[in-house]
Amino acid sequence: MMVEVSVASPPSTTPSGAKSPNSGAKSGAKAQAGVKAAGATPVLGTYGRVAAWLSKRVEVALTTVDLTLPQYRVLGILAEGAAAASGLADRLAVRRPSITAVIDGLVARGLVDRRQEDTDRRRVALRLTDEGVRTLAEADLAVDDYLVSIAGHLPDKEEAMALRSLELWARAMTESRQGPRPAADESAGRATPEGKVR
């Protein structure tokens, strides 16, 4: 059976009659591979949709460890070191009341604890508990396994490229927090509206 899918509109993550969360990935990955094989030029404007679709797949994987995506993001940031709620809100680009609700849930589950700073009693630092570290490790493994299983529907070389692209996006996002690139690098390798690389 041949599946036709628009690049701008990925297939549903819950196809009718599906028994496995991976079944939508199978047809979607094959359809995307078919688009590539046909020599179609990537359409600018669809990258955000694919990223959102991928984010939904991460949420599906997190259900195996009973975490939401915002909780997973908070645990990941706290794994880098203690932080204040205000700092977490800034990193996650959400309002403080929103992050407080997420933190309250993590504290109630014993994954995060609040401690007053020794140097400033008004400041409360958030830290992962041992259970939080263990849960984050389980979540990382569940998400990685799920994404690898999706990428496994591609030919070997493209599978490696897809996974490597996630590492490159992580590096790009980390570097983007440090401000804009120097002017000399700005035009190199940029895609134009026509999809051509300068």
Side-chain angles (χ1 to χ4, degrees):
M1 178 176 151
M2 188 171 173
V3 179
E4 286 189 10
V5 180
S6 164
V7 175
S9 180
S12 168
T13 58
T14 53
S16 61
K19 305 245 187 233
S20 160
N22 289 336
S23 58
K26 185 173 184 179
S27 63
K30 284 185 178 178
Q32 292 297 334
V35 169
K36 289 179 186 175
T41 303
V43 180
L44 294 180
T46 61
Y47 301 136
R49 296 179 199 178
V50 173
W53 189 25
L54 192 59
S55 173
K56 184 62 181 175
R57 291 308 185 114
V58 171
E59 285 184 283
V60 169
L62 289 172
T63 60
T64 63
V65 289
D66 196 27
L67 285 177
T68 65
L69 187 57
Q71 288 174 330
Y72 182 52
R73 293 176 68 199
V74 167
L75 293 178
I77 292 171
L78 291 179
E80 300 170 10
S86 58
L88 285 174
D90 292 342
R91 284 276 302 272
L92 297 171
V94 297
R95 295 179 355 194
R96 289 186 192 187
S98 300
I99 200 67
T100 299
V102 173
I103 292 165
D104 287 346
L106 292 170
V107 169
R109 287 182 57 185
L111 305 179
V112 171
D113 68 3
R114 293 181 171 105
R115 292 185 188 166
Q116 288 183 323
E117 292 281 4
D118 294 335
T119 55
D120 184 352
R121 304 296 288 175
R122 294 169 300 172
R123 182 178 162 86
V124 175
L126 302 164
R127 293 178 178 84
L128 288 183
T129 62
D130 290 343
E131 181 66 13
V133 170
R134 186 188 64 74
T135 300
L136 178 60
E138 286 182 11
D140 285 340
L141 186 60
V143 171
D144 286 355
D145 283 350
Y146 194 54
L147 294 179
V148 167
S149 75
I150 293 172
H153 293 280
L154 296 169
D156 289 347
K157 187 174 180 180
E158 290 182 348
E159 176 185 358
M161 288 171 56
L163 296 172
R164 173 69 177 139
S165 72
L166 292 175
E167 295 171 15
L168 293 174
W169 274 107
R171 193 175 89 199
M173 289 187 288
T174 299
E175 292 180 6
S176 73
R177 293 202 322 243
Q178 299 167 6
R181 293 189 303 178
D185 293 347
E186 282 189 10
S187 63
R190 285 270 173 97
T192 64
E194 297 81 30
K196 298 176 183 173
V197 176
R198 287 191 240 173

